Amino acid sequence: MIDVLFVVDDKTDVPAVLNKTSAMFSVTRVLATALEPGHVAGARVIVVHAALRSVDEVARIEDACDEARRRDDCIYVAKDTDRAGIVQAESVGIGRVVASHQPVEDVLAAIQGILNRELAHSLKDQPAQVVQAIESTGMLFRQVASAMRDDAPLPLRLLSASSQNIGAAIESVGLVEWINAVEMHHSQTCRHILMVAGYADAFARNLGLSANDTLVFTQASLLHDVGKLFIPISILEKAGPLTDQERQAIMMHPLRGAKALRRGGRAHPLVVEAARSHHEYLDGSGYPDRLTDERISPLVRMLTIVDIYSALREERAYKAAMTPRLAITEMAGMKGKLDPRLFAAFRDMVLNPVFGSQRSSRDAEAVSADDCLVNGLHPLDRATPVRNVARRATG
Ligand SMILES: [Fe+2]
Ligand SMILES: [Fe+2]
């Protein structure tokens, strides 16, 4: 399913709004004269950007929306003086009207409003902590995107709150429930970030990291792909094979993300480093800097493991999701690229049948543990042992 269907006529001049919308959402467009109910059924939001002067066009919009019962999900973009179009839109039951002279952001806000409503509906049976964590992370991403557009400071307080909310949600429902809830999110990019953050929190918990280490690691996981905000969704979520140019555009996201975070100021240096280096491999075959061994910090090594595992476990437009065992087998084949000790600890965690369903608060011994990641120390080189996950099962 795509996010937004633009219904246009042959006189519609839409590049500005279409370009901005397709940078944030998956988008397709169809001529009003060719609109079928299947188009409407396959989209979450319908933006009608046509003059609605032809009887045939109006009838097609009316029929398609009627059949799919989707009028609440429609937005009409009216020309400045298009009184007749507004009346026509209202007569077919399209309640939201945005004048085309208004900023494109108004159209984006109307689209986001409908998507938020849909998300809230799909989360209605989830525990409050889960809803709060998913909603605060969604808000974080909208604010980070607009901060980057406007060269404004990053919303660091919201970043901390989102990290803590994710930790609280996983404490409350366990990792498996968290992942199930996250899978309901309409945006592939948000799903990925929320999953990586969930696995990151669980991994930190499993290693018995300090509260400070856990917070920085979760923040790094939330912002690791922030450079993708500069890449159109049409490329990021493309179902078919990428062109060389598109692949190169995607491979720029670590540099663009780190640069934006540095410019936004005040992000923890490890968060900036994680955005830049999470695609580096110990054998020097990664990008963008082809770093090797000791030049890759323990936090980045942990993030790379969590990021790859999450990507393998996710369903994408171009691939099915792998089972945990298959994903781990695939990663075990990446010889020399991942930190072997951290990978072994992560493997034991995700393949432990009990771990994903446990609901428990952080142990006092972990809360008071010494910081290691923020000091560049390997978590497995300190005295505190990795927790025995089976011992902590609570069901
Ligand atoms: Fe990435
Ligand atoms: Fe990622």
Side-chain angles (χ1 to χ4, degrees):
M1 194 174 232
I2 56 146
D3 290 332
V4 187
L5 171 72
F6 267 83
V7 182
V8 300
D9 60 24
D10 51 8
K11 297 183 191 64
T12 312
D13 179 24
V14 290
V17 66
L18 199 63
N19 287 345
K20 281 213 172 185
T21 308
S22 61
M24 291 177 65
F25 308 103
S26 55
V27 173
T28 189
R29 80 166 130 176
V30 61
L31 278 172
T33 48
L35 185 68
E36 301 285 346
H39 293 121
V40 173
R44 294 185 174 85
V45 181
I46 300 96
V47 177
V48 179
H49 201 320
L52 297 187
R53 295 278 156 73
S54 123
V55 175
D56 177 43
E57 287 175 359
V58 174
R60 277 182 175 272
I61 291 169
E62 199 168 9
D63 287 352
C65 293
D66 210 26
E67 201 165 305
R69 301 174 189 279
R70 299 293 302 281
R71 288 174 195 206
D72 285 351
D73 304 329
C74 292
I75 299 164
Y76 180 63
V77 182
K79 294 238 163 60
D80 288 359
T81 52
D82 185 17
R83 191 65 217 144
I86 294 171
V87 171
Q88 190 65 261
E90 285 172 353
S91 77
V92 299
I94 299 175
R96 291 168 195 250
V97 175
V98 181
S100 65
H101 70 277
Q102 286 175 275
V104 172
E105 277 67 28
D106 286 12
V107 178
L108 299 179
I111 293 170
Q112 190 67 60
I114 292 173
L115 292 173
N116 287 350
R117 192 191 60 206
E118 189 200 329
L119 179 62
H121 180 73
S122 64
L123 294 175
K124 69 180 189 313
D125 297 326
Q126 294 292 329
Q129 292 96 331
V130 171
V131 175
Q132 190 180 11
I134 292 179
E135 288 184 347
S136 72
T137 307
M139 195 190 303
L140 171 71
F141 265 79
R142 287 193 290 282
Q143 291 194 14
V144 167
S146 80
M148 289 192 171
R149 267 199 308 272
D150 305 339
D151 255 345
L154 292 166
L156 293 179
R157 199 171 291 177
L158 187 54
L159 175 62
S160 281
S162 293
S163 306
Q164 281 161 350
N165 287 344
I166 289 170
I170 292 173
E171 273 186 17
S172 153
V173 299
L175 182 62
V176 168
E177 286 287 311
W178 168 255
I179 298 295
N180 289 343
V182 164
E183 279 173 344
M184 292 178 195
H185 204 292
H186 60 82
S187 157
Q188 177 188 293
T189 307
C190 282
R191 276 199 307 271
H192 174 64
I193 295 300
L194 290 164
M195 277 198 192
V196 173
Y199 286 120
D201 180 89
F203 197 17
R205 203 177 286 254
N206 187 245
L207 292 174
L209 295 187
S210 70
N212 192 26
D213 274 345
T214 304
L215 188 66
V216 174
F217 184 41
T218 313
Q219 291 185 359
S221 68
L222 282 170
L223 293 183
H224 78 282
D225 271 340
V226 78
K228 287 187 177 171
L229 291 173
F230 297 105
I231 302 168
I233 295 282
S234 53
I235 297 179
L236 291 176
E237 299 190 7
K238 187 175 173 182
L242 296 171
T243 64
D244 286 348
Q245 209 176 9
E246 288 168 340
R247 192 169 296 105
Q248 276 168 16
I250 290 181
M251 287 178 70
M252 287 301 291
H253 79 272
L255 286 176
R256 296 193 74 171
K259 191 172 163 198
L261 289 176
R262 222 175 285 119
R263 203 178 48 213
R266 306 204 326 273
H268 193 288
L270 276 172
V271 172
V272 181
E273 187 190 325
R276 182 174 180 121
S277 303
H278 65 277
H279 287 287
E280 301 287 357
Y281 293 137
L282 296 179
D283 64 2
S285 63
Y287 66 93
D289 301 308
R290 302 182 72 84
L291 300 179
T292 53
D293 301 311
E294 298 313 313
R295 296 186 63 204
I296 304 175
S297 69
L299 181 143
V300 170
R301 294 174 187 212
M302 285 177 63
L303 181 57
T304 302
I305 290 169
V306 165
D307 186 34
I308 295 172
Y309 180 76
S310 190
L312 293 173
R313 293 278 291 116
E314 291 162 35
E315 184 183 334
R316 300 268 172 97
Y318 51 87
K319 71 164 191 72
M322 282 187 186
T323 62
R325 198 158 287 280
L326 212 55
I328 287 295
T329 305
E330 179 88 11
M331 291 173 75
M334 298 175 69
K335 289 254 176 321
K337 296 181 189 299
L338 306 176
D339 184 301
R341 290 187 297 156
L342 288 170
F343 174 62
F346 185 77
R347 177 199 61 208
D348 292 349
M349 177 185 90
V350 293
L351 295 186
N352 186 306
V354 174
F355 180 76
S357 57
Q358 74 178 17
R359 301 167 198 173
S360 63
S361 51
R362 209 170 289 278
D363 286 353
E365 78 185 60
V367 172
S368 61
D370 290 338
D371 293 339
C372 56
L373 292 185
V374 296
N375 294 318
L377 299 173
H378 196 292
L380 300 176
D381 282 341
R382 68 205 164 111
T384 316
V386 176
R387 311 238 206 114
N388 176 345
V389 291
R391 173 174 60 83
R392 299 180 61 237
T394 59

